Amino acid sequence: MYMAEPIERLVRPALWRGWRRRCPNCGAGPMLRGYLKVRDTCAVCHEELHHHRADDGPAYLTILIVGHLMAPVILWAFATFRPDPLVLASIFSVGCVGLSLYLLPRLKGLMVALQWAKKMHGFGAKG
Ligand SMILES: [Zn+2]
């Protein structure tokens, strides 16, 4: 039985489109509806996006990045400026929440785009 060679999907452009929360296939349609909900299909190219299995991955990556950025910066800020602990905690709480809210949807887009590019979880299946 003859089977056509599947078309290669480029990972880097897909990841960049996912980071921008765009459809990994066309880069034009929005991937997310609301803050984190992935659309079932792209509004522009009708690529199916419901195959994704991002699960806890974006949250894990967000915690990993924010934790590794904030922990040394807190230590540096405390050692350098010796601020009042309440001031330090207030500033870094706002910083951690803000950075997490910024990163979470972008990392979700990145993970969905990676799964799309690698044809994981039914993304590459026809029919
Ligand atoms: Zn699209």
Side-chain angles (χ1 to χ4, degrees):
M1 190 172 102
Y2 172 76
M3 289 186 64
E5 187 69 24
I7 299 168
E8 190 74 20
R9 291 178 177 173
L10 298 175
V11 175
R12 280 179 175 268
L15 290 181
W16 175 240
R17 290 167 178 166
W19 174 260
R20 290 171 36 236
R21 295 165 294 159
R22 297 288 167 186
C23 165
N25 187 43
C26 66
M31 178 193 289
L32 304 178
R33 183 179 66 235
Y35 182 61
L36 279 179
K37 176 81 175 147
V38 178
R39 293 170 185 265
D40 287 341
T41 58
C42 174
V44 175
C45 70
H46 305 293
E47 177 75 12
E48 291 181 349
L49 300 173
H50 61 85
H51 299 294
H52 79 92
R53 294 288 180 271
D55 298 332
D56 292 340
Y60 171 79
L61 288 175
T62 299
I63 292 167
L64 188 77
I65 293 170
V66 172
H68 281 85
L69 282 175
M70 287 298 181
V73 174
I74 287 174
L75 185 64
W76 172 81
F78 184 74
T80 305
F81 302 112
R82 291 291 171 180
D84 183 64
L86 195 58
V87 171
L88 187 74
S90 301
I91 290 171
F92 276 89
S93 294
V94 171
C96 283
V97 169
L99 185 60
S100 297
L101 291 174
Y102 174 81
L103 286 176
L104 191 57
R106 285 157 180 86
L107 291 171
K108 183 159 188 173
L110 201 80
M111 289 203 73
V112 172
L114 179 67
Q115 292 172 2
W116 175 86
K118 294 292 184 185
K119 301 180 180 179
M120 299 163 72
H121 312 303
F123 269 120
K126 290 289 173 201

